[in-house]
Amino acid sequence: MRSSFGPLCLVSHIPRLWFVLVFLLHAAGAAAEGASDGARLLARARSDPLNVPIQTLQARSPADNTTFGAGLSTVSLSSDRESYYTIIEAGGLNFRVVLDTASSDLWLVSSDCVTDSCRKVPRYPLAFQSPTFVSVGNNATAFNAQYADGTFASGFVAKETIALSNLTLANQAFGVVTNSNVSLTDQTSGILGLGFPRLSSISGPSFNSSPFFATLASQGLLEYPLFALSLTRNSTGVLTLGAIDSAIVTNTTRIGWNKVAQFPPFSVENNASTYLQWAIPMAGVSVNGTQFAPIPTYANISNTSLALFDIGAPGIYGPYQDVSRIYSMIDGARLVDSDGQWALPCDTTVPMTFTFGQRNYTILPTDYILGPVSGNPNLCLSWPMSLPPNSDGIDWQMGTAFLRTVYSIFSFGINAKEPPLIGLYSLQNDTNITQAQTSSAILSFLSSNSETFTTTLPNFILPTPSFTTPPFALNTSISASVGGIVSSGLANSNYSALFGQKTLLANVSALPRITPPPVVVTLVVTNSVGAISTTVSSRSMAAVTLGLPALNAGRALRVPLSTMVVPCILIIWTLLFVRTH
């Protein structure tokens, strides 16, 4: 059916034309505004295959210990099983970033980075002209990040609006990377460091900024200044900010709290000991029930062996003097290369236990065995691996092979009130710990959950590695304690300290919790005749676009108001002209 609206009936419809004109003008303005917003926020979708919908705790005043931020986000295991990543927003665009507790800075590869590692992943588009992008020193302030494996990322420092979960920071400093050889998998675009400000290369008065998590804590934007990680072997995990996950921690009295160690200054720093790494003392190691005390590399400087908790490391690493003692207690274990890698029989049933504070944390063969070697499928490579001494005095590195067995809580500390702490909540089943795994169960697990390493094992006993101990890099004339109170660099002093100088919570209910929405939803329906039906379904999550959508890459998407309004005016004018002539 044809519309009656046309030239022959134009006069009678002139009032409607003006109404339509006003309506079109309004719609055009809204469309232009929406297009402008789209230029800034092209991928605002909050729910996606990698982000759990947020349940935020009620906002309250930072002065009464209950700030107004808590959220959670799903993390995923990379396809090479080397790291975990989550999604952030930068200038309204989504990017996957690798999580790292042994560094502090956030950086993203940019469109100016054309190395092989950069070109394969979504890049922060400098041509996008994000309205929240802020130049620092006309983009001439250098950014450099170097890692222990020899990789690097370099570029310049800028500021942008950064969001993780439901927590957003405007003018957050980050590294805009223009050159990098860091291997990026699974469409990850950079690294999000969760370490202390002292590790940061873009923190301090000259930048008027601090790392992402440190900024949340210093501005009092969290329910409590902590983050926590639950990692799994099946490619998923959860990062919580400002609170612990109540679906995982069902008994807070089982959390073992450990004070973090301070580090003296390096020669070029100031004359005060501060917090550098998420490192705590390791009290003991036991193999199959036989315990020994770890031997510090720099025993003449400190009688404490420190362990760094590092989500950016895939395994467990320790000094040769300790690792060799572990394998000496396992029948058939032997050193298989000069870099400190060991192998043991794949049907080993021996548990290993690490002691932090007064609590023991046991890992089982299915936690520490990597997989069989192709040259001898009866032998498997294993954690821990021994590494050369590090000049900062950290002996052990507890990576994801250990962190998957615990829920790890990183409490940032409060200026002048409370030191940083690491809380460990064992995820191991008590029955599994007390009853050794059977050889058949271990072999079955390895057949479905590990890879075969194409490694040719030597057919002779390797000599003891001759690692050279480097000079201690820190200033030994300045003392450093474990759990010392400091006046700056931690969370806002408006927080009320839950711990103070203790490692036990007097009021366990005071620890903030957040409850994730259920992954599986059960719907029970009673119809009009009283019949009951039950439906069980998984909660669906929308896909998310990483980086700038390909259609819009390289150009800003602002649509001038005139582009939408002028055609509307011309249509109305033409209709009026035809009727009157």
Side-chain angles (χ1 to χ4, degrees), residues 9-32:
C9 56
L10 183 63
V11 175
S12 62
H13 286 288
I14 284 179
R16 295 185 191 179
L17 282 174
W18 290 113
F19 170 78
V20 170
L21 176 60
V22 173
F23 173 78
L24 289 173
L25 287 171
H26 176 75

Side-chain angles (χ1 to χ4, degrees), residues 531-543:
I532 298 175
S533 62
T534 302
T535 303
V536 179
S537 62
S538 297
R539 178 171 20 88
S540 61
M541 298 182 184

Side-chain angles (χ1 to χ4, degrees), residues 100-102 194-196 213 217 222 224-231 238-244 255-258 260 277-280 307-312 398-399 402-403 406-413 418-425 499 511:
D100 186 17
T101 50
L194 295 168
F196 294 102
F213 186 82
L222 298 166
Y224 201 72
L226 61 81
F227 63 91
L229 289 159
S230 168
L231 307 178
V238 175
L239 166 67
T240 60
L241 302 164
I244 63 171
I255 302 172
W257 294 98
N258 304 268
V260 174
Q277 292 277 20
W278 287 108
I280 61 176
L308 166 66
F309 285 74
D310 183 9
I311 189 181
M398 311 302 286
F402 176 82
L403 291 172
V406 297
Y407 183 67
S408 52
I409 307 166
F410 298 80
S411 183
F412 200 67
E418 185 174 282
L421 299 104
I422 294 179
L424 301 174
Y425 179 85
F499 296 91
L511 193 64

